[in-house]
Amino acid sequence: MQRWTADLISSQAGRTFIVTGANSGLGFATTRELARHGAHVIMAVRNATKGEEALRTLRAAQPDARLELRLLDLSDLDSVRAFSTGILANRVPVDVLINNAGIMMPPRSLTRQGFESQFGANHLGHFALTGLLLDTLKAGRDARVVTVSSTLHRRGVIHFDDLTGERNYSPLAFYAQSKFANAVFGLELHRRLRAGRVPVKSILAHPGYSATNLQSTGPTGLLKLVLKFTNRVVAQGVEIGALDQLYAATDAKAESGQFIGPDGRGESRGYPTIVQPVESARDPDLGKRLWRVSEELTGVHFDIPAAT
């Protein structure tokens, strides 16, 4: 794959994207580039004040940008349902859903529905959002679901016997679990979409080590200090980090089931290329088990069959 930059994005006029976590970091950079190329972007944000500030910044630079702000708290399934109901009620055509938002390595806490916060927001919230919007995505043009994972998915396992972290919580281990769940979900979604002959692509992406506010808003204590330092000396900027999900969301060569990440050493930085998920994320039995548990926990059931 040649070095791919945002300048290679074709016109996205006439297409609608939903970007979760669009007010900062990778989501903001992704929104800016999509708008620059003519897309209608629905900025799904948790904080209205921060969302309005981001919207003003984007419109100041791109007065004609087709941007729309909607509230979405992925840690609250009631909010996920309300957001999805609004999209469907307004008959908003959605071509691409970018599951970008996330939280990273906070002290243990629970979501409104009682899930561990990272698993709840990073995986279950996006799982439910995708399922609730799948029917409108089916009618999209070159429809795609892009789920953003992390290199740390390689260190993840699903703690099915302790999903809330009540017995043995570690901020890093449960972040890795949530990013591993993103990868398992994206691959299982791909298998089910293909089995059901649904014209929607499921593509995974990860940004390598990119400097965002995740490293400063979630971690505490020594971990926060370490990440603050590495952000300055190791991490790449969000403009480069966002390229992987932009490629997955827009490029004609991106295929369902692919994982897009940086081409540099250790996949920590660089330009988009096809990378490989950890082997355990490919396990179809694990994919089915996580899917079943996710449907039970969220109450959201996808109208597509399991792959045989």
Side-chain angles (χ1 to χ4, degrees):
M1 185 185 295
Q2 69 177 41
R3 175 174 283 190
W4 192 91
T5 69
D7 291 335
L8 294 176
I9 298 174
S10 61
S11 172
Q12 300 298 305
R15 303 188 79 205
T16 297
F17 295 72
I18 294 176
V19 180
T20 67
N23 62 283
S24 66
L26 297 167
F28 182 85
T30 297
T31 298
R32 180 175 57 209
E33 288 300 333
L34 291 173
R36 187 166 73 91
H37 289 85
H40 169 212
V41 185
I42 297 173
M43 301 171 63
V45 303
R46 182 177 61 178
N47 185 296
T49 301
K50 293 180 179 180
E52 290 288 355
E53 182 180 352
L55 185 62
R56 285 193 297 271
T57 300
L58 289 167
R59 282 187 169 155
Q62 303 178 50
D64 297 329
R66 299 186 63 231
L67 300 169
E68 179 182 347
L69 194 69
R70 296 197 182 211
L71 293 180
L72 170 64
D73 183 353
L74 287 158
S75 68
D76 181 357
L77 292 177
D78 292 337
S79 176
V80 174
R81 289 185 180 276
F83 175 89
S84 303
T85 297
I87 294 292
L88 298 176
N90 297 151
R91 301 187 180 218
V92 178
V94 180
D95 300 292
V96 181
L97 170 62
I98 303 180
N99 290 325
N100 162 82
I103 57 175
M104 181 179 178
M105 303 182 201
R108 182 177 179 267
S109 63
L110 302 180
T111 70
R112 185 174 178 182
Q113 284 79 28
F115 311 127
E116 186 274 319
S117 61
Q118 298 182 92
F119 188 73
N122 297 354
H123 168 61
L124 291 177
H126 282 127
F127 177 91
L129 180 66
T130 303
L132 292 168
L133 294 179
L134 186 58
D135 280 346
T136 191
L137 281 162
K138 290 177 183 178
R141 178 161 60 93
D142 191 15
R144 308 180 186 198
V145 176
V146 177
T147 302
V148 180
S149 183
S150 163
T151 54
L152 282 174
H153 88 279
R154 300 181 183 282
R155 298 176 61 174
V157 296
I158 307 297
H159 303 281
F160 286 108
D161 60 345
D162 188 25
L163 283 175
T164 65
E166 182 177 5
R167 296 201 297 272
N168 187 24
Y169 179 78
S170 157
L172 175 57
F174 274 70
Y175 178 70
Q177 171 181 250
S178 72
K179 295 287 100 180
F180 180 64
N182 288 152
V184 174
F185 163 62
L187 294 172
E188 178 66 11
L189 178 61
H190 160 69
R191 288 190 288 266
R192 292 180 181 236
L193 291 171
R194 298 289 77 77
R197 298 186 179 181
V198 179
V200 178
K201 297 176 181 178
S202 173
I203 307 173
L204 288 164
H206 81 77
Y209 191 176
S210 298
T212 73
N213 62 359
L214 284 182
Q215 290 95 334
S216 59
T217 57
T220 59
L222 179 60
L223 179 59
K224 183 173 184 175
L225 292 176
V226 170
L227 291 174
K228 183 178 180 180
F229 173 76
T230 54
N231 260 15
R232 291 178 177 177
V233 301
V234 177
Q236 63 183 358
V238 292
E239 294 78 9
I240 302 296
L243 291 179
D244 304 288
Q245 57 205 60
L246 282 164
Y247 176 90
T250 65
D251 198 274
K253 294 188 291 295
E255 295 292 341
S256 188
Q258 288 180 339
F259 199 167
I260 308 301
D263 61 3
R265 183 176 180 181
E267 299 174 21
S268 63
R269 57 195 302 133
Y271 292 83
T273 191
I274 298 172
V275 299
Q276 299 301 320
V278 65
E279 186 63 30
S280 55
R282 302 171 179 268
D283 182 354
D285 291 330
L286 176 61
K288 291 174 184 175
R289 185 180 181 187
L290 178 63
W291 192 280
R292 185 168 58 252
V293 169
S294 300
E295 286 190 329
E296 291 171 356
L297 293 176
T298 64
V300 175
H301 297 270
F302 288 60
D303 186 22
I304 47 176
T308 57

